[in-house]
Amino acid sequence: MRRSIGCLTFLILACARPLYPQEPSRLPRDDSKPQAGQSQSSKTNLLPIEHRFWNKENDLLFAGVAAARTLDYFSTLNMRRRGRQEIFLTNDVVDNHAGFAFIETGATGVSIGASYLFHRYGHHKLERWTSIVHIGLATTGAVRNYSLKTAHRGIVVTPP
């Protein structure tokens, strides 16, 4: 599942083209005098206003991604303590708490990086949806981990 998300993100980034290749961001300009080669009727040059990458909405989305990854971290450790097996990573990776925390932190960084690339190339809806989908998937995985039943080991009775 995690590999398919990474492959999908790579495919989208590989096909992404800038919407405004010459000048990616320009504020609206109202000139009272027309410039050379510009008619009187086109006084106002309106290009879409780009939002800043580190704005309030992205800050909240990135905090949500970090919170969802933290929830996934603790739910996976709880699942392992209850005797369940990890399906995406090896049990040795999950049992190494520092290494597993680094993987979760790296996944958060990759999500922010993918959002930045979408932002950079003018795909602002994809920029937001990257975080929204990541939050949804990580939270769903954490809820699944917490809802699994504890794996009880059968009592082995040795014959006398």
Side-chain angles (χ1 to χ4, degrees):
M1 179 76 169
R2 290 182 185 172
R3 283 186 183 158
S4 63
I5 293 171
C7 293
L8 178 64
T9 304
F10 177 76
L11 264 167
I12 292 171
L13 289 175
C15 298
R17 295 177 191 244
L19 293 177
Y20 309 103
Q22 276 74 27
E23 298 180 46
S25 67
R26 178 183 283 195
L27 296 174
R29 184 175 70 196
D30 186 13
D31 296 331
S32 56
K33 298 179 190 174
Q35 295 178 354
Q38 192 178 32
S39 67
Q40 184 70 17
S41 63
S42 62
K43 285 182 185 176
T44 307
N45 182 13
L46 289 177
L47 289 177
I49 299 173
E50 243 185 60
H51 64 90
R52 294 181 51 162
F53 180 68
W54 292 106
N55 61 7
K56 188 174 186 175
E57 187 175 357
N58 272 351
D59 290 346
L60 291 173
L61 285 171
F62 299 151
V65 169
R69 296 308 296 200
T70 303
L71 183 63
D72 181 55
Y73 173 80
F74 287 112
S75 71
T76 304
L77 293 182
N78 177 278
M79 178 189 75
R80 287 290 297 139
R81 278 192 297 274
R82 291 184 294 127
R84 303 297 299 208
Q85 304 299 313
E86 171 62 28
I87 56 175
F88 291 123
L89 301 170
T90 64
N91 290 331
D92 292 335
V93 170
V94 175
D95 293 339
N96 177 0
H97 294 214
F100 185 48
F102 182 76
I103 289 171
E104 294 285 0
T105 305
T108 302
V110 167
S111 180
I112 293 171
S115 291
Y116 175 75
L117 288 174
F118 285 134
H119 172 80
R120 176 72 174 90
Y121 288 105
H123 300 285
H124 299 291
K125 284 187 180 181
L126 288 175
E127 169 191 352
R128 308 279 195 218
W129 276 100
T130 300
S131 297
I132 292 167
V133 168
H134 195 151
I135 291 168
L137 290 174
T139 304
T140 302
V143 168
R144 178 195 173 275
N145 289 344
Y146 279 124
S147 64
L148 290 172
K149 294 191 182 290
T150 301
H152 295 287
R153 307 259 190 255
I155 299 173
V156 178
V157 178
T158 56

